[in-house]
Amino acid sequence: MQKAKIAGRTLAEWQAEQPLLQDVMATREVWWTNLAYASSVDGLPMKLGITDVEAADRRLRRFASYIAKVFPETQSTQGVIESPLQPVPRMQCELERLYHKKICGSLYAKYDSHLPIAGSIKARGGVYEVLKVAEELAMEHHLLKETDDYSVIDSEPFRRLYSGYSIAVGSTGNLGLSIGIISAKLGFKVTVHMSADAKEWKKSLLRAKGVCVVEHNADFSQAVAEGRAQAAKDARCHFIDDENSADLFLGYAVAALRLKQQLDEQQIVINEKRPLLVYLPCGVGGSPGGITFGLKLLFGDNVHCYFAEPTHAPAMLLGLMTGLHDEVSVQDFGVDNITAADGLAVGRPSGFVGKNVGSLICGVYTVEDDELYRMLALLAKTENVFLEPSALAGFTGPIRLPIAVEDAVHIAWATGGSMVPAEIMQSFYLQGTDLLQETP
Ligand SMILES: *Cc1c(COP(=O)(O)O)cnc(C)c1O
């Protein structure tokens, strides 16, 4: 329910200060430009920097031999969990045709939808944080040194150690999948607190892997809060805090190092004349926040990141716009947080991200669910890649961009979808093709 007063001010007062609020509250698509945008990572409130991101990358590399052993689908990348960066020229062409607008430069997709282990962007942050916990525990118990071959972790002594500890997380679905799968593989007891919008197939898949799934009749923020409260009672339980975790954030930030390498390999030059524009679907803000931070560290003024949210769940947008961060929810402004983009169905943004790296976000835009389905069908038709609705939020970014660029490398971050069961994907696709036909 919409509140009479939000942070001590009436709705009329907020609207006078932020005229865009009217459209946000009416769940119309908006583009918000961050007036506090500061390209530099200097002077951010938090202390993290490039050395932390590089250390996270090295930790993931230490685990590569283990990952390759227990997730054979990662053997082709020697246990490095990474996704392809691909030009999508046919998609670009169809977008231009559909919206009667030219996209200056080239459009690429970063297919985190096809990340191994979890089939979504959560295979970055989620897997990283659990591996860090596993490494620290093994070292404390003198089972592991940094110089060891980590494939030894796939053995009884390690499983016995981890079975004495538990991991807990609150999730709309995908984070639960990622944390559940990697934790269960290591041998941890693991509990996933699922919000009401989490899909049935995600819960069944986790239960089949021995994960304890607790269903909450509430949205993401409450599932997280309840998970946090339960975990706090148990000293041997590590709670993965999607709203506040620096480790999740660093796991996501590593993507920037990998992306830079891919751009170099594909001889895609980024400079003042050819900036990198990145469109990131945003839920609580951890994954787009971490990636934005990493990219800003590497590309500085030559990269600009835009967050994309559903019109019914503009959590980060409201947090940044009002400056209230995690002290405001979309419900406070009468927005319902009901969207087909379940990975983005978040009513309250991460305070960690908003406060620490909010200034690095160039803008936030919102997308209607129907538009996500249209993009889903369009990408399937043009590139033969099938994503889940959340993962399409980035694709209209280059069309919606209000500034004129002469040339740019546009990257739509395709955040999930490869694990969606075929019959569900087919229904997404049909919904999208229907909507496309209705479009004049
Ligand atoms: C979680 C998720 C996001 C957004 O990540 P946040 O860290 O919640 O902002 C985007 N797309 C998909 C498919 C997701 O699962």
Side-chain angles (χ1 to χ4, degrees), residues 63-81 115-119 123 127 130-131 151 154 177-187 205 209 419:
F63 272 95
S65 63
Y66 169 74
I67 296 290
K69 186 171 175 203
V70 298
F71 297 104
E73 72 266 36
T74 64
Q75 271 165 13
S76 61
T77 55
Q78 285 86 45
V80 175
I81 304 160
L115 279 175
I117 303 178
V127 169
V130 175
L131 292 179
S151 62
D154 180 35
L177 277 186
S178 140
I179 302 285
I181 291 170
I182 184 71
S183 303
K185 185 68 88 179
L186 284 157
L205 191 151
K209 292 189 188 286
M419 283 176 72

Side-chain angles (χ1 to χ4, degrees), residues 236-402:
R236 290 179 155 237
C237 179
H238 180 88
F239 181 67
I240 309 267
D241 193 336
D242 199 14
E243 293 176 331
N244 297 296
S245 166
D247 288 327
L248 272 179
F249 182 84
L250 286 171
Y252 289 124
V254 169
L257 300 175
R258 309 277 181 77
L259 181 70
K260 178 158 192 319
Q261 192 186 336
Q262 289 177 322
L263 290 166
D264 290 346
E265 282 162 5
Q266 298 182 31
Q267 295 171 356
I268 303 166
V269 179
I270 303 300
N271 56 34
E272 233 168 282
K273 292 209 164 66
R274 197 152 189 259
L276 183 60
L277 306 184
V278 187
Y279 309 92
L280 295 148
C282 174
V284 70
S287 70
I291 291 172
T292 296
F293 176 62
L295 289 173
K296 277 291 177 196
L297 287 170
L298 299 179
F299 294 100
D301 284 340
N302 296 333
V303 66
H304 304 289
C305 297
Y306 303 94
F307 287 16
E309 297 189 301
T311 49
H312 284 257
M316 185 57 72
L317 172 60
L318 282 172
L320 291 174
M321 200 182 205
T322 58
L324 295 173
H325 304 297
D326 54 350
E327 278 157 42
V328 69
S329 75
V330 301
Q331 289 91 345
D332 293 345
F333 279 97
V335 178
D336 60 12
N337 191 26
I338 294 174
T339 165
D342 44 352
L344 313 182
V346 171
R348 189 180 296 279
S350 157
F352 178 86
V353 168
K355 289 171 201 166
N356 284 303
V357 295
S359 64
L360 303 181
I361 304 165
C362 194
V364 183
Y365 63 99
T366 58
V367 188
E368 281 183 359
D369 281 13
D370 280 357
E371 195 74 339
L372 299 176
Y373 283 113
R374 278 189 205 100
M375 292 302 107
L376 192 154
L378 208 61
L379 190 72
K381 281 177 200 285
T382 54
E383 309 290 337
N384 198 30
V385 181
F386 291 77
L387 304 180
E388 62 186 280
S390 299
L392 277 306
F395 281 88
T396 50
I399 294 288
R400 303 271 303 279
L401 190 72

